[in-house]
């Protein structure tokens, strides 16, 4: 029997992945909608709500990771690849924390704040355009870095399926 990730890890990985890819697409789409339109407000509020939802799931994922034991990587994997995977996963975790955080902080520095599906959440700031722009700029740069890392991560997963055929991909699937 091959080692696998635990069911909570698998469910959280794929739920979070789907939400993040959706949020990237939504983010790039919504910033192009003309200002002061109900459509823009709708998509911005949806982005913020889903962003807060994924942040909560990411927090659960991080807490769970401390309790869960990761299955060991196959001994056949070269050392450089083991290190690359570890660094890549840590960088993904860093983005999973910093991208929603900068989104929330930037939204706290404008008059709209953050609503979670209609419920107003605490604002961490005050109306301040330079600070809003600063954190929105960080959110923008980090979102691009995140997208690039995800692309590399997906290519690495595909390499394991198509070239190595070492069942690394299957480790992240539920046992059926
Ligand atoms: C993993 C979660 C998230 C991802 C992947 C993500 C991704 C993105 C992307 C790709 C953009 C477009 C950037 C641009 O072209 O300017 C964007 C914009 C934005 N995001 Fe997020 N976001 C996330 C979470 C959040 C959260 C939690 C909030 C706030 C509660 C938020 C608030 C915003 C706002 C207000 C903008 C527009 C910034 C502007 O007007 O310049 N995001 N996001
Ligand atoms: C879109 C956002 C994604 C994020 C943030 C992400 C993040 C991660 C992280 C941090 C890990 C390490 C294990 C863990 O701590 O849970 C991991 C493992 C994995 N991911 Fe993703 N992932 C994403 C999307 C994807 C996609 C689209 C695929 C498939 C094409 C994929 C395939 C895998 C596989 C196969 C593993 C297991 C590797 C192993 O067992 O060592 N991920 N992912």
């Amino acid at each position: 029997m091959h080692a696998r990730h635990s069911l909570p890890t698998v469910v959280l990985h794929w739920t979070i992945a789907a939400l993040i890819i959706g949020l990237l697409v939504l983010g790039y789409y919504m910033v192009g909608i003309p200002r002061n339109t109900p459509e823009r407000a709708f998509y911005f509020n949806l982005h913020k709500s889903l962003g807060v939802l994924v942040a909560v799931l990411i927090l659960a994922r991080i807490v769970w990771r401390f309790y869960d034991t990761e299955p060991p990587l196959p001994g056949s994997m070269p050392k450089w690849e083991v290190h690359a995977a570890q660094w890549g996963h840590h960088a993904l975790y860093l983005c999973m924390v910093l991208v929603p955080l900068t989104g929330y902080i930037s939204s706290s520095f404008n008059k709209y704040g953050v609503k979670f599906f209609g419920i107003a959440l605490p604002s961490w700031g005050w109306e301040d355009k330079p600070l809003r722009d600063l954190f929105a700029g960080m959110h923008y740069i980090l979102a691009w870095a995140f997208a690039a890392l995800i692309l590399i991560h997906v290519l690495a997963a595909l390499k394991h399926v198509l070239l190595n055929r070492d069942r690394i991909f299957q480790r992240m699937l539920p046992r059926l």
Side-chain angles (χ1 to χ4, degrees):
M1 184 57 74
H2 293 276
R4 278 169 192 261
H5 290 276
S6 65
L7 188 62
T9 297
V10 172
V11 171
L12 284 167
H13 175 271
W14 292 111
T15 314
I16 291 168
L19 280 167
I20 287 173
I21 292 168
L23 277 160
L24 285 168
V25 174
L26 185 56
Y28 293 128
Y29 167 72
M30 72 184 192
V31 289
I33 302 172
R35 285 174 194 276
N36 299 317
T37 56
E39 197 197 352
R40 186 174 169 102
F42 171 80
Y43 284 109
F44 267 58
N45 280 323
L46 181 65
H47 181 85
K48 292 179 192 177
S49 301
L50 293 175
V52 170
L53 178 69
V54 81
V56 172
L57 294 173
I58 287 164
L59 213 65
R61 171 76 194 94
I62 291 170
V63 172
W64 173 245
R65 206 178 197 279
F66 286 106
Y67 290 98
D68 195 26
T69 32
E70 294 279 303
L73 287 166
S76 57
M77 230 168 111
K79 256 223 160 70
W80 72 266
E81 215 181 316
V82 174
H83 288 302
Q86 282 165 349
W87 276 92
H89 293 164
H90 285 137
L92 283 168
Y93 273 113
L94 201 63
C95 285
M96 280 193 269
V97 171
L98 293 182
V99 172
L101 202 61
T102 49
Y104 197 104
I105 296 174
S106 83
S107 302
S108 288
F109 284 112
N110 76 15
K111 60 177 188 263
Y112 303 113
V114 180
K115 287 196 207 88
F116 181 69
F117 296 107
I119 304 161
L121 296 182
S123 177
W124 295 348
W126 53 90
E127 249 190 271
D128 191 320
K129 184 140 174 27
L131 279 177
R132 192 220 80 100
D133 289 348
L134 177 71
F135 284 99
M138 290 186 199
H139 192 62
Y140 171 81
I141 291 166
L142 286 163
W144 272 112
F146 204 5
L149 277 169
I150 291 167
L151 183 67
I152 296 168
H153 181 66
V154 170
L155 291 176
L158 287 180
K159 172 183 118 44
H160 284 287
V161 176
L162 301 174
L163 297 179
N164 304 98
R165 298 173 193 229
D166 54 10
R167 299 188 65 84
I168 288 284
F169 185 80
Q170 285 81 346
R171 284 151 59 99
M172 208 30 114
L173 295 179
R175 185 173 287 126
L176 294 174

